């Protein structure tokens, strides 16, 4: 793969990956505007803890498995994140009063 194509893919991946942070911060501020500094600090800490856990799990997968196991481990964490997002969304939707 030519370096320019690889650079384009990495740039696209980084742009998409980090674009979620602003939306997440906006969502958190919307929940409790009076606690903005605490919420954003906890959000940043969560990102760092998640990165550390991901690095540790990736290291364990590589130490005891193969590089192909990284995809399976990533898929498990992605499924857990999706489940958490759906469960949270349903819990928030249940709190919203119905119009009419």
């Amino acid at each position: 793969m030519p370096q320019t194509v690889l650079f384009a893919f990495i740039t696209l991946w980084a742009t998409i990956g980090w674009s979620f942070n602003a939306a997440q911060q906006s969502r958190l501020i919307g929940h409790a505007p009076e606690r903005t500094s605490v919420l954003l600090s906890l959000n940043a800490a969560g990102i760092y803890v998640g990165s550390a856990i991901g690095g540790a799990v990736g290291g364990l997968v590589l130490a005891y498995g193969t590089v192909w196991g990284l995809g399976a481990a990533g898929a498990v964490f992605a499924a857990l994140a999706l489940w958490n997002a759906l469960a949270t969304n349903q819990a928030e939707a249940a709190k919203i009063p119905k119009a009419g």
Side-chain angles (χ1 to χ4, degrees):
M1 178 179 302
Q3 286 184 337
T4 54
V5 174
L6 182 61
F7 180 74
F9 279 127
I10 291 172
T11 302
L12 180 66
W13 173 52
T15 302
I16 291 171
W18 285 104
S19 68
F20 293 105
N21 198 26
Q24 174 67 8
Q25 289 175 347
S26 176
R27 178 178 171 264
L28 290 171
I29 292 169
H31 282 295
E34 67 282 358
R35 305 246 190 256
T36 298
S37 60
V38 173
L39 290 172
L40 295 182
S41 297
L42 290 173
N43 183 53
I47 290 171
Y48 296 133
V49 169
S51 296
I53 291 171
V57 170
L60 289 171
V61 169
L62 289 175
Y64 296 105
T66 66
V67 71
W68 303 109
L70 291 173
V76 168
F77 279 98
L80 289 171
L82 177 61
W83 172 81
N84 183 44
L86 293 174
T88 303
N89 192 26
Q90 287 177 350
E92 289 178 8
K95 293 178 187 177
I96 299 172
K98 301 291 183 202

